[in-house]
Amino acid sequence: MREQTLELLVSAVNETPAALAEKMNIRTEAVIINQCGHFAYEEFSCRGHLVRAWSLRERGVGLSRNSALMRAQGDICLFADEDIRYADDYADAVLSQFAAHPEADMLLFNVDVCENRRTYHIDRYGRVRLYNCGRYPAYSFAVRREAMHRKNVWFSLLFGGGARYSNGEDSLFIRDCIRSGMRVYKTPVTIGREEERESTWFSGYHEKFFFDRGVLYESLYGKLARPIALQFLLRHRRVMCGEIPVSRAYAIMCDGLREARGRTGAGDTE
């Protein structure tokens, strides 16, 4: 039986691909989708591994991840952002976990981030279900490529940086994986760390942030969206509600909920 291969799928904005590969410590084959306003294609070697890089005019993180998926060739695909620096042994860590857990179509890994940006930490192996899948970022995802293509799961083009609604494409993707029948697990293995930088997409906790979050919550949680939205605001009020008070933020999120209810397939791609 041949060894499984790992391929990194990188979503980037206005980067030089070869320099980015070095900065990220890429040590496997990789696909880089560089959203930069012009078209170009290049291949190069990074630490002895082939990196294929497409520079594209179109923008949107969901679109860029789909573009990488369409070009992927590895047995296991690990989604990546441009600000992640990977541990020297990340390939062995990921592949050994998939070998140890043949029941998993998708595994979620730890990536170290600064405290004020941390949305999750995995401390034990376990199944991920619909009720607890919403806090994991795309850079924690590794999937068996054939399993995902069999289920025809893709990233939303409505949600995420550069799209109509500014966040949530990762939550919708993992939800769709679970709904499709893919078996999703989490594992307490750390594969890299996030390098602190100014976000390419995030611009603050303003009205659009809360409105877009409301649209996302309706798409994710349906009838439970209102209480989950209120719980979210109360839990994060010290960080998020300095300029817009909780009551106003909740009202804006409810406006987003109502918009999502008026849209057919708000969680789907256009």
Side-chain angles (χ1 to χ4, degrees):
M1 185 176 180
R2 71 176 180 84
E3 292 185 2
Q4 296 280 282
T5 59
L6 176 66
E7 190 167 36
L8 209 60
L9 306 185
V10 184
S11 177
V13 178
N14 294 327
E15 293 282 352
T16 302
L20 178 63
E22 288 292 334
K23 183 176 71 171
M24 294 179 66
N25 195 32
I26 289 177
R27 294 172 179 266
T28 58
E29 292 194 353
V31 170
I32 296 176
I33 302 297
N34 183 35
Q35 304 158 80
C36 62
H38 68 271
F39 176 81
Y41 174 72
E42 59 184 302
E43 294 181 358
F44 55 88
S45 177
C46 184
R47 299 179 179 86
H49 298 280
L50 175 66
V51 178
R52 297 174 293 139
W54 281 264
S55 294
L56 301 176
R57 296 182 180 89
E58 58 262 26
R59 302 291 288 268
V61 65
L63 182 59
S64 71
R65 296 202 195 282
N66 287 341
S67 296
L69 277 172
M70 288 189 291
R71 295 164 170 84
Q73 298 174 351
D75 299 309
I76 308 298
C77 295
L78 176 62
F79 294 103
D81 286 345
E82 62 197 295
D83 55 353
I84 307 300
R85 181 171 177 82
Y86 287 90
D88 289 350
D89 63 347
Y90 77 89
D92 289 340
V94 172
L95 291 173
S96 65
Q97 285 297 299
F98 274 96
H101 300 290
E103 71 279 8
D105 297 311
M106 178 176 182
L107 284 171
L108 311 184
F109 290 85
N110 280 323
V111 173
D112 289 334
V113 301
C114 61
E115 188 66 33
N116 65 342
R117 283 180 48 81
R118 181 181 297 167
T119 60
Y120 81 105
H121 181 74
I122 302 166
D123 54 13
R124 65 182 182 276
Y125 183 80
R127 190 79 177 260
V128 178
R129 305 287 187 178
L130 285 173
Y131 63 82
N132 66 353
C133 72
R135 66 182 184 273
Y136 298 100
Y139 57 70
S140 69
F141 301 172
V143 299
R144 297 187 193 273
R145 182 172 57 87
E146 286 191 5
M148 188 185 57
H149 286 328
R150 262 197 323 269
K151 299 297 185 179
N152 196 29
V153 181
W154 301 91
F155 282 88
S156 172
L157 305 186
L158 271 179
F159 293 84
R164 177 170 182 167
Y165 304 114
S166 55
N167 56 67
E169 83 291 343
D170 40 12
S171 299
L172 291 166
F173 179 80
I174 191 172
R175 179 206 65 178
D176 290 346
C177 287
I178 295 171
R179 282 184 175 179
S180 76
M182 289 177 63
R183 296 161 297 180
V184 181
Y185 291 82
K186 57 182 180 177
T187 183
V189 174
T190 300
I191 57 175
R193 70 175 188 275
E194 182 186 61
E195 302 283 351
E196 290 191 55
R197 65 177 178 89
E198 186 175 346
S199 173
T200 307
W201 305 112
F202 178 72
S203 58
Y205 299 109
H206 39 55
E207 290 195 3
K208 179 169 172 53
F209 172 86
F210 293 113
F211 183 87
D212 291 356
R213 183 61 62 126
V215 176
L216 172 65
Y217 276 24
E218 176 64 26
S219 303
L220 280 172
Y221 304 118
K223 294 179 180 179
L224 295 176
R226 281 179 177 266
I228 291 175
L230 183 58
Q231 180 188 58
F232 166 77
L233 289 171
L234 292 175
R235 185 188 305 131
H236 299 290
R237 62 187 181 276
R238 291 183 180 177
V239 174
M240 296 182 178
C241 297
E243 297 184 9
I244 299 178
V246 171
S247 58
R248 175 61 182 154
Y250 182 64
I252 296 169
M253 287 187 73
C254 288
D255 288 341
L257 299 179
R258 284 188 285 273
E259 169 154 325
R261 288 172 188 165
R263 295 178 57 85
T264 301
D268 301 327
T269 61
E270 285 189 325

